[in-house]
Amino acid sequence: MRMLKDLFGRSYRSAAKPRQMLAVLLMGFAAAITMHAQSTNLVPSAGSGSEQAFVATFTDPNGVQNVQSLSIAIVNNVAPDTESGLPANGCVVNFMVSSGIIQLAQDTGKSFLATTADAGTDQTVSNSQCTVLGASSSITISSNAVTAKIFVTFTASFSGPKQIFMLAENRNQAGGMNFQTEVGTYDVTASVSSVFISPSSGSGSDQTFTTIYSDPTSHIQSVGLNIKSTRNNTSAANACKMRYDPDTSNIFLVNDAGTTYGSPIIAGSAASLSNSQCTVYGMGTSATTFGTNVIVYFRVSFFPGFIGEKVITMGGADETGASTFSDLPLGTYLVTAPASGVQESFDLTSTAVRVASVGVPATSTITVIPNESFKGRVLLTCTVISPSDVVSPPTCGFDTPPISVTAPTTATLFINTTATSTQELHDPVQQTSFVIGGLTMAAILFIPLSHRRKWRTLLSLAVVAVSVGASTGCAITHNQGNTIISSTSYSRTPPGSYIVAVTGVSGSITATTAVSVTVK
């Protein structure tokens, strides 16, 4: 019986082996056909510009019901792969198919930013290389294709030729970022980056807008501010679009048709420019160049026919004439009818800050100047504008609550910087901890104990010494100015040029001044 079982068992296995091999071959053939039939496509697959709507499509004749996301990576000749993860200093976008959530990789790569944008909304997500606009992005699903439209604007520092890779990720492969297919190239020609505008929301018929632009790769030739009724940036018709040339102090305003700028006026002059939407004034419009930034104050008033909510966009051109005027909405402004009588307002002025020694607080004097009999309480806030890759930028703050203004009134802005980590060793408490630890270890070496007990005791005391040193040396915090800094997380504020935007608010009235901060 055993021999029969062995015989039939061998016979069955012998017969099953060819069938198994055939099945494997058929499965491999089917898989090969399926993989070959799958395809990815990107439009445009080649091009140039400072912004672009990329249309990425993944097609599978067997259906795309399991596709979780589509991703594109716009990078500097560094192909993403599973082992290295997301590349640093790239524009890597992940579009979730079912939810419409858009993710963007951090500057350092490896992971996505915590902030996201929802397709079809005004939300945006940005890193130092690019910004993705939710309003101009969308996802479309058919039986055998997933198409993602991803609208991207680029920064000036990301200029140059790029490679584009694409990934379609299935649900059972969640988290795996393995870009295998290069689908195109793109020459980023971004010139001037729009950094800041204030107010980015508000209302009124008369406003001075504070704008900041940056170009770390070139000289800024001109900057622009567009206040318009529509998101369509292909035409500036019926808009309040202004331009400022820092080298000449010339101010321009676009005509009603949006086709050309008229003759300029000089900043600081009593002249003004008008179209049917707005008036821009020479008096009150000015600019300052600081480091790689240009700060421009545009003083504008609006006509009754332009009433309603408007979208704010910004742009500029570098010394080569390469222009970047993005459709990226940087804010909204509700234009209201001119108030009857005198409209109250106030202005802000500031003094520059020079930090000669990091770790030592510095100050700027902010002056609130009332206009047209303004009387009221003004709340002052501040925002530090610095490159995104700075680990420990300066911090800012005020030590006063809202101030009452009936005449020119001053407040003190505090600027704090972080000293280098080597200065931690000068802390007397921390020095004490090192001394205690050293004395403890020295005592250990001189304790007369038997061989076995000695080593047990030495080990125990060593653990105690390390614990004591760690608890007394690592838990120290100390106050520098208005900023509490942990002694275990020091990172020096790097030298360079920074800008602190100070904004004053009183009801619907808003004013902003930019404080230049130089860290030596």
Side-chain angles (χ1 to χ4, degrees), residues 60 85 108 129 210 225 238 248 310 403 460 472:
D60 188 337
T108 56
Q129 290 67 241
T210 302
L225 173 66
N238 303 314
T248 62
K310 310 302 172 185
I403 58 177
S460 300
T472 57

Side-chain angles (χ1 to χ4, degrees), residues 27-65:
M27 290 172 61
F29 182 70
I33 292 176
T34 301
M35 292 177 65
H36 184 72
Q38 292 177 346
S39 64
T40 56
N41 183 57
L42 183 73
V43 177
S45 59
S48 64
S50 60
E51 63 181 16
Q52 181 66 55
F54 292 99
V55 180
T57 302
F58 172 76
T59 303
D60 188 337
N62 293 328
V64 292
Q65 61 273 12

Side-chain angles (χ1 to χ4, degrees), residues 176-494:
M177 301 302 295
N178 185 13
F179 292 87
Q180 296 294 330
T181 307
E182 181 178 344
V183 293
T185 59
Y186 198 82
D187 186 17
V188 176
T189 60
S191 55
V192 179
S193 296
S194 304
V195 177
F196 176 85
I197 184 166
S198 179
S200 58
S201 63
S203 63
S205 61
D206 192 328
Q207 182 68 56
T208 297
F209 291 93
T210 302
T211 59
I212 301 176
Y213 309 81
S214 177
D215 185 353
T217 63
S218 180
H219 173 75
I220 296 178
Q221 183 183 93
S222 66
V223 296
L225 173 66
N226 192 10
I227 303 167
K228 56 198 182 78
S229 300
T230 175
R231 295 190 183 281
N232 180 10
N233 200 56
T234 58
S235 172
N238 303 314
C240 182
K241 185 175 182 179
M242 298 153 280
R243 191 184 98 199
Y244 189 102
D245 293 354
D247 291 341
T248 62
S249 298
N250 282 337
I251 307 167
F252 299 83
L253 180 66
V254 79
N255 62 4
D256 288 339
T259 56
T260 186
Y261 290 104
S263 299
I265 60 173
I266 301 296
S269 69
S272 63
L273 296 171
S274 297
N275 60 16
S276 297
Q277 288 67 241
C278 65
T279 297
V280 56
Y281 301 92
M283 189 69 67
T285 298
S286 62
T288 302
T289 298
F290 180 64
T292 60
N293 301 285
V294 171
I295 307 163
V296 183
Y297 301 92
F298 289 100
R299 185 190 165 204
V300 187
S301 65
F302 302 102
F303 289 114
F306 199 51
I307 289 174
E309 186 175 79
K310 310 302 172 185
V311 178
I312 303 172
T313 63
M314 298 164 58
D318 63 17
E319 60 187 359
T320 68
S323 178
T324 304
F325 212 107
S326 175
D327 200 33
L328 172 65
L330 296 174
T332 59
Y333 193 81
L334 180 62
V335 176
T336 61
S340 57
V342 176
Q343 185 175 2
E344 294 183 346
S345 63
F346 60 85
D347 294 323
L348 298 180
T349 62
S350 59
T351 57
V353 176
R354 184 180 178 88
V355 179
S357 178
V358 292
V360 178
T363 61
S364 172
T365 300
I366 309 299
T367 304
V368 184
I369 304 173
N371 299 322
E372 307 298 346
S373 302
F374 171 86
K375 294 181 180 180
R377 293 173 64 80
V378 177
L379 174 64
L380 296 173
T381 59
C382 62
T383 302
V384 177
I385 299 170
S386 64
S388 60
D389 58 350
V390 174
V391 176
S392 295
T395 60
C396 64
F398 290 92
D399 62 353
T400 58
I403 58 177
S404 297
V405 177
T406 57
T409 307
T410 61
T412 300
L413 170 70
F414 291 92
I415 306 295
N416 297 288
T417 52
T418 305
T420 182
S421 59
T422 57
Q423 293 181 357
E424 295 176 276
L425 300 179
H426 299 294
D427 189 297
V429 179
Q430 195 169 17
Q431 287 178 338
T432 302
S433 70
F434 285 113
V435 172
I436 292 174
L439 291 175
T440 303
M441 293 303 296
I444 289 173
L445 298 177
F446 289 96
I447 294 177
L449 296 170
S450 66
H451 183 74
R452 180 177 298 179
R453 290 183 59 197
K454 179 178 180 179
W455 284 108
R456 288 179 181 176
T457 306
L458 286 175
L459 181 60
S460 300
L461 290 175
V463 172
V464 172
V466 172
S467 300
V468 170
S471 62
T472 57
C474 296
I476 301 168
T477 58
H478 54 278
N479 192 326
Q480 288 190 347
N482 296 333
T483 304
I484 304 296
I485 303 171
S486 171
S487 65
T488 59
S489 59
Y490 264 161
S491 182
R492 187 183 190 278
T493 299

Side-chain angles (χ1 to χ4, degrees), residues 117-150:
D118 291 337
T121 70
D122 287 338
Q123 297 173 354
T124 62
V125 58
S126 302
N127 62 17
S128 296
Q129 290 67 241
C130 65
T131 295
V132 184
L133 282 63
S136 301
S137 301
S138 61
I139 196 84
T140 304
I141 307 172
S142 66
S143 60
N144 64 349
V146 176
T147 300
K149 178 184 177 184
I150 304 172

